[in-house]
Amino acid sequence: MNRLPPDSSLAPREADDTLETTSSEPAGMTRRSMLASAGATLAGGALLLRANVAHARSAPSAPARRPAAPMRKDWLSPGLPGRDYRPVIVPNGTKLPWKIVDGVKVFHMVAEEVEHEFAPGIQANCWGYNGQVHGPTIEVVEGDRVRFYVTNRLPAPTTVHWHGLILPNGMDGVGGLNQKSIAPGETYLYEFTIRQHGTGMYHSHHDEMTQMALGMVGLFIMHPRRPVGPRVDRDFALLMHEWKVEPGARRPDPNEMTDFNLLTFNAKAFPGTEPLVVQQGERVRIRLGNLSAMDHHPIHLHGYHFRVTETDAGPIPASAQWPETTVLVPVGSTRTFEFVADAPGDWAMHCHMTHHLMNQMGHDLPVVIGVNPGGLDAKVRTLLPGYMTMGQTGMGDMAEMGMPVPKNSIPMMGARGKHDVITMGGMFTVVKVRERLTGDGDPGWYDNPPGTLSVAATSEELSRDGIDVNAVPRAEPASPGGKPG
Amino acid sequence: MRLVITTSALLFASGCATVQKERGHSEVAALVEERIGRKTRWNQGTPEDAQVERHLDELLKGPLTSDRAVEVALLNNPALQSTYEELGVSQADMVQAGLLTNPSLGVTFGIPLTRDGELETEFSLVQGFLELFTMPLRKKVAREQFDAETLRVAHQALATAADVRKAYREVQARQQLVELRGMVLVAADAAAELATLQYGQGNINDLALVTEKAFAEETRLDLAREELALVEEREHLNQLLGLWGARTEWSISEKLPAPPAEEVELEQLESRAVKQRLDIDAARKQVSAQWNALELARSTRYIGRVDVGASVHGDPNGPRLLGPSVTVDLPIFDQRQALIAKLEAQHRQGERRLAELSINARSNVRAARARLMTLRGVAERYQRGILPLREQVVKQSQLQYNAMQIGLYVLLESKREQIGAYRTYIETIRDYWMARADLEQLVGGRLPGANEATEDQAPSHEREAPTGAPEPAPSDHPTPANGHPPSHGGHGATP
């Protein structure tokens, strides 16, 4: 249990020390450091009080003055990037800025409408935070005292729930249950101490269906105060989500239950996703959170075995970790896995639900596979000039057709790859591992060393191995009886 | 004998006692031409009829326009021709009214029954006397009756013209509706074909296949019904145009035109109707004739029949005697009170009918115009709103199809809906032109501006045809006037 004692009552409990000492896990924050910081309790409390007064003055309509904050300081001095942690990389994402006021990390979140681009060619009016969808990633360190001012510039009330975090009940952000919802125009304050490390999330907890479907979600990364386990060189954070945006529409449909057509990593659908760039030999951590409306995502990484090191409740003991290539990330959960990037190349990482590898494809189409339209096209063209039967061999050709489509839509799959069209879209990205990197940007396509790229077989190769491409394909019985069934 | 001569002279003086064949029709022709710009002709087996026949063939050779159809009907509609015969009947009555009762010649022989007797002979010539004085009034009444009849016949011609215009629009619309049904069938056929191809590949089940096939079959029958409707409407027009045999091969190539840019003011229409409607005029004439008949009866109520005669009596033993004779009815019992009462009642009846007709005419004009305006509004909404939007629906559906959001079935459905909207538009436009024909009939002539804006897409020389010689292909006709039905409008009466 690598976390600070729970803070359900405002006064820290004496029993916490006992808990701390009996913990079998390496402590992220020692009792010593805790006691060392306790000396500043009085001053800190006074400052906190002052901050509250300031807040009340600036927002007269705010709820009644909160009672005095806890007198006994239970947090550490703010953890700093570079010194206390190596910041996570958020492909396509942003981070929420903060400042330190009297030893407290102060953040300002603004819930507002955001024009968001899911991929080149499709934008939508979403709801997010600080001009971003998803909201900026929050990055803190175990033991930090954090204070979030949340301003609501939406037309509806909202709240922020700190998903997976251990905090006082009144800070949990469930509208109606834990707090009054933040009315449009109001600014609320959340304040708590970070008592754990791992991957958390945040999202609206008022009219969840609408507000989360419109994008009011984000990642909440909590670094350990002291490094745990092997040092990682690259720490990527990806939040998964799913959306329904009708081709040509400009607003995600919050009512959709099954027919999602934009599946995203950090609110980007391929080909809008940035690659994860890694130097060969580096230890890579990938954090995955899932705040989709309805779907779990089995995320599959090519080229490696990885080990899932953390769930959203904390680390998994090394003895319980399995080698895997796919990790299922249920809705409302986070999973973190790690691997050593020893194999260079462009490695696909994607959700293995094949429909999650589509962009805005229709899901209620007549199946025309195998159909030879013959005179049908000419007949239809007398009514509808420009008509052409599509999909006779499946969807693979669609990526290249270049037919006119509704504005603001990316119905066809994929993008051009190095060798051909990548017939995937949606929840797809590429882990680019290189022997040498010149920077952190996209290094371009991988150059396969000679003899390591699949190409068409030559006739010499075919004859050498006695392969007759025109022969009746063979298969051997796999059961002793030799006959199926 | 002098009296005989005088009487004979009187007889001749009564004049125009002969029946003129064309009398009346020329008035009808003038009335019709004045109102709709097309002439009528009464075929009476004259050599000119052959020219008319040639002109008919000429009219039917090219694509039929609405105006040409009206012209054909005015020349050739058998019901109308039979109505023209009523003019003959009426004219005969008029001539009759101008004729004196024939004088009666009496011869009396006295054959002696005794020996000393001699054969006596007596000649007498008796002529009704009063007729000479009442004849002008009687002629006036008959004349007015005839005029009324002329107006009624002309009205009938106009009604036929209106019927032709409506039937023409119906055929025109039906042709387009058949075409649209054909498109619906293509759409349904394509869907069924796709289903068959899909089924062949195992992509759909039997239910889906037979559903599509059933729909296509039903659509095929819809087309058959629509084609039958077209045939029926064509035959209706054939009846109105009086056509049979090879002449029924006419074609209409034009599509229904959009309503003209502007409509006539209501005020103008009502007064125009009362002023120029021939049936109202006929009723007016009828009332006047009834009044004159009444006056005639009144003025002669105490005068019975007066017969004036002369007799020559030859007596062998005595002088020959010549003497006038007068026989006078004594109006003691019948002073024509019954006849007068009847005529008075009929006159009042006529006046009330005229009032009814005028009021109804105004009301019908208002109703017809309201219908016209509503249909026009509907047509405009289709033209400016629904049709472009439906087109957009198809266009966007095609984009959605390209984006693989919808399949061919849904795409074809949007096309079918577009065709359906166009069908409703065509029907509305047809109804508009029907209402316009109705209104024209109710107003008693073409609406102002009708010729400029509406005469289909007919070439301009045809549109201007009404007043001039309408011959569209003059090369094989020596003179345009000969190609046109003979006109007698020059000396026709104008109401």
Side-chain angles (χ1 to χ4, degrees), chain B residues 1 106 151 207 258 278 370 423 456 473:
Chain B
M1 209 55 197
L151 292 171
L207 173 61
L278 294 175
R423 278 183 59 88
D456 312 358

Side-chain angles (χ1 to χ4, degrees), chain B residues 31-257:
Chain B
L31 287 169
V32 170
E33 185 175 7
E34 184 181 273
R35 279 161 178 77
I36 60 172
R38 294 279 154 174
K39 290 179 179 173
T40 68
R41 186 175 187 282
W42 185 4
N43 299 322
Q44 292 171 302
T46 61
E48 285 173 330
D49 289 359
Q51 286 182 353
V52 172
E53 292 298 305
R54 280 204 299 279
H55 182 61
L56 277 178
D57 285 333
E58 202 57 46
L59 284 173
L60 293 166
K61 209 162 70 181
L64 200 58
T65 65
S66 159
D67 276 347
R68 280 189 181 194
V70 167
E71 193 171 341
V72 170
L74 291 179
L75 297 177
N76 203 39
N77 177 295
L80 207 52
Q81 292 295 330
S82 117
T83 308
Y84 293 157
E85 295 300 339
E86 284 171 20
L87 285 174
V89 175
S90 178
Q91 199 200 163
D93 286 346
M94 187 173 69
V95 170
Q96 184 68 54
L99 297 180
L100 288 172
T101 322
N102 293 330
S104 45
L105 178 68
V107 181
T108 316
F109 296 99
I111 301 165
L113 298 175
T114 56
R115 273 179 193 278
D116 56 344
E118 296 262 344
L119 178 72
E120 282 187 18
T121 54
E122 184 180 323
F123 295 93
S124 68
L125 189 66
V126 179
Q127 169 71 41
F129 180 73
L130 195 63
E131 281 178 14
L132 285 175
F133 301 98
T134 59
M135 190 194 283
L137 201 51
R138 279 198 294 137
K139 279 172 74 178
K140 194 176 176 195
V141 170
R143 167 87 205 181
E144 278 168 339
Q145 293 279 11
F146 176 69
D147 284 351
E149 195 59 40
T150 306
L151 292 171
R152 264 194 296 276
V153 168
H155 179 71
Q156 195 57 45
L158 293 181
T160 304
D163 286 347
V164 168
R165 284 197 199 282
K166 287 199 270 189
Y168 180 89
R169 295 303 181 196
E170 189 70 60
V171 172
Q172 219 178 3
R174 284 288 160 197
Q175 286 187 167
Q176 285 179 263
L177 293 175
V178 165
E179 196 182 320
L180 292 174
R181 276 269 188 243
M183 292 171 80
V184 172
L185 177 59
V186 171
D189 255 354
E193 195 174 326
L194 175 65
T196 308
L197 292 170
Q198 282 183 287
Y199 185 81
Q201 291 294 322
N203 295 351
I204 59 169
N205 58 25
D206 294 68
L207 173 61
L209 175 67
V210 294
T211 303
E212 289 300 331
K213 281 187 161 180
F215 182 72
E217 282 306 311
E218 281 163 12
T219 311
R220 205 176 302 283
L221 294 185
D222 287 344
L223 175 60
R225 285 189 204 100
E226 195 83 63
E227 283 169 344
L228 174 63
L230 173 59
V231 169
E232 285 170 347
E233 293 303 336
R234 275 187 73 97
E235 288 312 326
H236 182 213
L237 191 51
N238 273 331
Q239 287 173 20
L240 286 171
L241 302 187
L243 301 178
W244 60 279
R247 281 187 176 165
T248 59
E249 302 295 316
W250 49 265
S251 66
I252 298 177
S253 59
E254 293 156 9
K255 302 211 180 266
L256 278 172

Side-chain angles (χ1 to χ4, degrees), chain A residues 246-247 360-363 365-373 375-376 379-380 382-391 395 398 403-406 411-412, chain B residues 183-184 186-191 193-194 197-199 201 203-204 394 396 398-412 414-415 418-419:
Chain A
E246 290 284 358
Q360 288 189 299
M361 304 293 290
H363 298 163
L365 286 171
V367 178
V368 293
I369 291 171
V371 166
N372 172 13
L376 176 66
K379 181 180 279 182
V380 177
T382 64
L383 295 175
L384 300 159
Y387 168 80
M388 167 184 166
T389 301
M390 301 188 291
M395 303 289 170
M398 298 310 145
M403 311 257 298
V405 295
M412 304 310 177
Chain B
M183 292 171 80
V184 172
V186 171
D189 255 354
E193 195 174 326
L194 175 65
L197 292 170
Q198 282 183 287
Y199 185 81
Q201 291 294 322
N203 295 351
I204 59 169
V394 171
Q396 289 298 325
Q398 270 189 287
L399 291 180
Q400 295 285 349
Y401 172 84
N402 292 347
M404 303 206 82
Q405 300 300 311
I406 59 172
L408 178 59
Y409 297 114
V410 179
L411 179 58
L412 287 173
S414 77
K415 187 68 195 178
Q418 185 197 21
I419 295 169

Side-chain angles (χ1 to χ4, degrees), chain A residues 90-94 114-120 122-124 126-128 131-137 212-219 237-243 245 252 262-274 289 291-292 359 410 426-428:
Chain A
V90 188
N92 299 107
T94 55
V114 177
E115 173 95 10
H116 174 68
E117 185 184 75
F118 287 99
I122 177 163
Q123 295 190 327
C126 298
W127 288 4
Q132 302 296 318
V133 166
H134 303 311
T137 297
M212 290 176 72
L214 292 180
M216 299 190 68
V217 299
L219 280 167
L238 297 168
L239 182 55
M240 295 178 282
H241 201 22
E242 60 189 357
W243 320 70
V245 181
L262 283 172
L263 283 294
T264 55
F265 282 129
N266 287 340
K268 294 282 183 181
F270 186 76
T273 50
E274 278 178 9
L291 286 178
S292 298
N359 284 332
I410 48 166
M427 206 170 264
F428 177 89

